[in-house]
Amino acid sequence: MGFASPQDGSRALDLSVHESSGLPVTGVVETYPAHHVVPSHHHGRAHLLYAAEGVMLVQASTGQWLVPPTAAVWLRPHVEHRLVMHTPVRVYGIFVDEEVADGLPFMDGVLHVSALLKALIGELAQPIAGRSDSRREALLSALFLEELGGQRPLSFHLPWPVDGPMQQVCGSLVRDPAHVFSADDWAASLAMSSKTFHRHFRKGTGMTFGRWRQQLRLMSSITTLLGGAPITQVALSSGYESHSAYAAAFKKHFGVPPSKFLSTVYRP
């Protein structure tokens, strides 16, 4: 099934060659502008979405994830999903034959992308017309599947509301994680009481406003962190008052402080 092209929203990218390919693993790469939306669609094959640059939101029937660079979303075959680009994004889509995918992660979610997996994704995303059922292709596919199966899941799940006003609030915070509005401010802007706002937000996300915003800020901060900015700058731009407050929240959520995250988890 195709999906809207970033160059022409009225045209759909033809992915039928990937769906019907005799190769066990194929791939495609596309660049999208900020705010572009890929409408809901699904694939007959399992699907790995890797954002090499930028941040995208993957909204699937099984969950919703905010995906920074060096992470990827794994979706099983036939799972409906929609993509929202919150920044300019270069996306790799890797398609895995349904039979081959049986031994891979059995749940949809975000996975770490190692340096080796990143290189393999780049190779597999070469135009399919230039690939053949050769020994090299078989080895590439086998190594990709082996490396993918060893990636650890990441805590990048961010529930997304279906309620229009709450979507507006969440969208504004994604665009500006350091937004100074409190829950009371957002309630006032929506002409509702604070109690009503909190009730709607929890109903839409399953989380309190404060916890959701903190999780968003931490997840969004990874892009700036990976860009080489000083941790104090990352903390302030993410809405934290100090380096120590950010580091403590980061360690509580991801299990390691930002410095160790950079040196061991996401070493370039």
Side-chain angles (χ1 to χ4, degrees), residues 136-218:
R136 182 177 185 274
E137 294 303 323
L139 290 172
L140 279 174
S141 296
L143 184 56
F144 168 83
L145 295 170
E146 183 70 23
E147 186 69 6
L148 178 63
Q151 301 305 299
R152 60 191 174 279
L154 299 174
S155 302
F156 286 174
H157 180 242
L158 189 71
W160 201 260
V162 295
D163 176 74
M166 297 303 106
Q167 280 190 349
Q168 293 176 24
V169 172
C170 292
S172 296
L173 290 172
V174 167
R175 290 187 290 274
D176 180 12
H179 201 298
V180 296
F181 267 23
S182 66
D184 290 343
D185 293 328
W186 284 115
S189 71
L190 296 171
M192 62 176 64
S193 69
S194 179
K195 184 177 180 179
T196 299
F197 174 82
H198 283 291
R199 185 175 70 251
H200 279 285
F201 197 90
R202 182 184 282 275
K203 182 179 179 181
T205 65
M207 300 171 69
T208 65
F209 172 77
R211 183 183 172 198
W212 191 95
R213 182 173 61 179
Q214 182 185 62
Q215 191 154 315
L216 165 73
R217 286 176 169 177
L218 290 171

Side-chain angles (χ1 to χ4, degrees), residues 40-42 58-65 73 75-82 108 157:
S40 183
H41 63 287
H42 68 274
V58 179
Q59 298 175 307
S61 57
T62 54
Q64 301 183 62
W65 304 273
V73 168
L75 297 173
R76 292 164 298 163
H78 311 292
V79 172
E80 289 280 341
H81 57 284
R82 174 177 180 262
D108 306 320
H157 180 242

Side-chain angles (χ1 to χ4, degrees), residues 3-8 11-15 18 27-33 36 38 49-53 56 83 85 88-93 95 125:
F3 52 80
S5 164
Q7 287 78 28
D8 180 0
R11 180 175 64 84
L13 296 173
D14 183 8
L15 300 178
H18 297 278
V28 65
V29 58
E30 279 290 344
T31 301
Y32 296 92
H36 182 79
V38 175
L49 286 162
Y50 169 56
E53 296 174 2
M56 68 177 172
L83 310 181
M85 314 302 167
V89 180
R90 189 168 86 253
V91 183
Y92 288 82
F95 303 89

Side-chain angles (χ1 to χ4, degrees), residues 231-245:
I231 295 180
T232 299
Q233 180 183 327
V234 175
L236 297 177
S237 65
S238 300
Y240 288 88
E241 295 182 354
S242 66
H243 177 295
S244 59

